Amino acid sequence: MRAITRRGALGLGAGAAAAAGLVGCGSLNGSDEPDRASGSSGTGKKDSGKPTATARPLGDGSTSFTGKQPHQPAKPEPLEPGQEPPQFVIFSWDGAGEVGNGLFPRFLDLAKAHGASMTFFLSGLYLLPESKKRLYDPPNNPVGASDIGYLTDEHVKMTLSNVRRAWLEGHEIGTHFNGHFCSGNGTVGNWTPQQWRSEIDQAKGFVKNWRTNTGWTDLPALPFDYDKELIGGRTPCLLGQDNLLPTARALGWRYDASSPGGRQVWPQKRQGLWDLPLQQMPFPGHSFEVLSMDYNILANQSINSTNAPSHNYPGWRAQASQAYISGFKRAYETNRAPFFVGNHFEHWNGGIYMDAVEEAFKHIAREKEKGADVRLVSFRQFVDWIDVQKPEVLEKLRTLDVGQQPAGGWKAFLADAPTGSSTGASTGTSAGTSTGTSAGTSAGTSTATSTSSANAA
């Protein structure tokens, strides 16, 4: 099985730990089941599970309109005065290709078992055969170039099957764009808004025209209209957001998950889109924090190696799992800020990061199943909820810092307040309790790794 290399890591700004953060997207070294059992994502009752309309082919038949997406929560409602906010947790996956390692269906099965939804940021090239790579014209790079590998035909078919299954089970299909250029003159960090438009149009085109590009006629269509489905993405290595946002807004996107590091506080809009970054979370055993992504944890454990000596694995696996659990717990017990987690379908360091995220996911799901108002949702479902909240309530929530409890409890804190209120909150648990440092305003407090770039195999 061939290795597929994704290169790139991002050095982030200085912070209390005087550290550089790494944002990785790594190597990618299916079943087709449209009738899945229904479950609750935590945002409300889900519907029956099957598309509600007869499929209407779109374009060349690669995609089709099948009506309302199955397994979606009930229509969100604004918080009532004094109501405690839910704890939202969003697990997302960069690349979202299935290459025979079973990771895509593994996490679909996990989500199904717990009635959860996730976001899959699909790389458009994963639906383009390598024999047709010259159809891709990346900005500032040669035609057909890519810093991630093209999939084999069999793996393209696996990816199609799992993307189809994911949507039918209620998950969101976002975008991770195409060629994943993180360094050199062609880096996405230097692309103009017009070049981002070209990249997006091509990413959508590879999804909407996979039949034409592959010549395959024996596979079912993807059951969604990607022009309507696509409302957000995450850029390679979290680069280039400033120039992406004007294009994303013009396309009607509703959020972007590309900020280079954030804090566990309630989000705001940036250039008209919800800015939903990876976040600094406690890193057990250290006085600094780490970004909530598997590769950033790896970068602090084995630096540039994805195949470090195996005697390290048990301790690293436990540390990674506890980092996610600590991030969840800090938010849930204090300011209830949504918790965003990013991952890759990778077997780095013996697969310990996949095991760690599964363990953390199950821990969070158990809290929901014990009756806590914990909602394991997609980014799309989260922005559906936050878009209907009263502006003055969101403004009040934003006064809560990392690890800060509401003054007098939620009933008092979110009682009716005048529109535009900026009343503060008393400090409960401080942001630095779990790590020994307070969270700064830049992503630089997220890791202690001094390496500013790396090649992720």
Side-chain angles (χ1 to χ4, degrees):
M1 184 180 303
R2 67 176 183 174
I4 299 171
T5 302
R6 281 185 165 185
R7 293 182 303 174
L10 172 63
L12 303 174
L22 295 175
V23 179
C25 291
S27 64
L28 290 171
N29 245 37
S31 64
D32 197 14
E33 304 175 61
D35 189 8
R36 311 302 299 180
S38 180
S40 171
S41 73
T43 55
K45 183 179 179 181
K46 287 196 172 185
D47 60 25
S48 60
K50 290 187 177 181
T52 57
T54 302
R56 175 168 55 85
L58 301 171
D60 69 355
S62 296
T63 59
S64 60
F65 176 74
T66 58
K68 182 181 177 181
Q69 185 178 12
H71 303 296
Q72 295 304 296
K75 184 179 179 180
E77 297 179 353
L79 291 172
E80 297 292 335
Q83 182 180 351
E84 188 175 41
Q87 178 61 57
F88 288 97
V89 182
I90 294 91
F91 284 86
S92 58
W93 301 87
D94 288 5
E98 171 55 35
V99 293
N101 57 19
L103 292 175
F104 203 149
R106 171 182 170 179
F107 286 94
L108 288 176
D109 290 345
L110 180 67
K112 178 190 173 188
H114 296 281
S117 295
M118 299 179 177
T119 291
F120 296 95
F121 291 124
L122 175 65
S123 293
L125 286 190
Y126 288 163
L127 300 188
L128 182 69
E130 187 167 11
S131 62
K132 297 293 184 70
K133 69 179 184 180
R134 292 190 64 81
L135 293 175
Y136 177 40
D137 186 10
N140 298 340
N141 287 277
V143 171
S146 174
D147 275 4
I148 55 174
Y150 290 84
L151 303 191
T152 65
D153 286 1
E154 186 61 27
H155 294 159
V156 173
K157 291 178 180 179
M158 291 180 180
T159 299
L160 280 165
S161 177
N162 281 279
V163 168
R164 183 174 189 272
R165 176 186 165 186
W167 191 87
L168 289 171
E169 293 186 357
H171 304 287
E172 177 189 10
I173 310 301
T175 188
H176 200 44
F177 305 93
N178 293 306
H180 209 279
F181 302 103
C182 293
S183 61
N185 293 333
T187 173
V188 302
N190 296 334
W191 287 0
T192 66
Q194 294 75 24
Q195 288 172 326
W196 276 115
R197 178 60 187 260
S198 172
E199 180 78 350
I200 294 167
D201 287 346
Q202 292 183 79
K204 290 167 67 176
F206 298 143
V207 174
K208 294 161 58 179
N209 298 298
W210 63 263
R211 283 196 193 281
T212 297
N213 295 336
T214 64
W216 301 332
T217 60
D218 58 341
L219 300 177
L222 295 175
F224 51 82
D225 181 344
Y226 203 38
D227 287 325
K228 294 182 172 63
E229 172 69 13
L230 184 56
I231 64 161
R234 180 177 288 137
T235 63
C237 296
L238 308 187
L239 294 171
Q241 188 192 49
D242 286 345
N243 284 340
L244 167 67
L245 289 179
T247 296
R249 183 175 184 179
L251 289 170
W253 287 16
R254 297 171 59 197
Y255 75 88
D256 181 67
S258 305
S259 290
R263 304 168 69 232
Q264 286 188 275
V265 294
W266 282 87
Q268 301 187 60
K269 284 188 174 182
R270 186 177 180 195
Q271 296 190 38
L273 278 72
W274 287 109
D275 187 20
L276 308 178
L278 296 173
Q279 299 162 320
Q280 300 169 46
M281 62 182 181
F283 196 32
H286 296 282
S287 60
F288 55 86
E289 300 195 328
V290 66
L291 284 186
S292 51
M293 176 174 270
D294 49 9
Y295 186 71
N296 295 81
I297 297 174
L298 175 150
N300 282 280
Q301 293 176 334
S302 57
I303 316 301
N304 293 334
S305 175
T306 59
N307 190 27
S310 61
H311 66 83
N312 295 296
Y313 294 170
W316 286 350
R317 182 188 299 111
Q319 185 182 50
S321 176
Q322 285 304 309
Y324 294 127
I325 292 171
S326 296
F328 161 75
K329 185 176 180 180
R330 179 167 68 181
Y332 178 62
E333 294 180 351
T334 60
N335 65 0
R336 290 291 176 94
F339 183 39
F340 307 134
V341 177
N343 288 282
H344 305 83
F345 292 137
E346 291 292 346
H347 276 130
W348 294 328
N349 287 338
I352 62 174
Y353 305 104
M354 298 294 90
D355 295 340
V357 76
E358 180 171 346
E359 181 179 346
F361 183 96
K362 288 179 176 177
H363 174 93
I364 295 167
R366 282 195 296 270
E367 293 299 313
K368 175 174 77 81
E369 289 152 9
K370 289 188 292 186
D373 192 2
V374 174
R375 309 190 185 188
L376 289 156
V377 300
S378 67
F379 279 115
R380 185 185 195 116
Q381 291 165 348
F382 172 68
V383 299
D384 284 346
W385 181 89
I386 201 169
D387 272 342
V388 304
Q389 302 309 308
K390 298 174 183 177
E392 59 269 26
V393 170
L394 294 178
E395 184 177 351
K396 193 73 175 293
L397 289 171
R398 293 188 194 105
T399 67
L400 295 169
D401 206 345
V402 179
Q404 189 173 14
Q405 296 172 338
W410 288 108
K411 187 173 183 179
F413 183 69
L414 288 183
D416 277 329
T419 301
S421 169
S422 58
T423 304
S426 65
T427 301
T429 307
S430 72
T433 301
S434 300
T435 63
T437 64
S438 61
T441 57
S442 75
T445 58
S446 58
T447 75
T449 303
S450 59
T451 308
S452 61
S453 64
N455 290 335

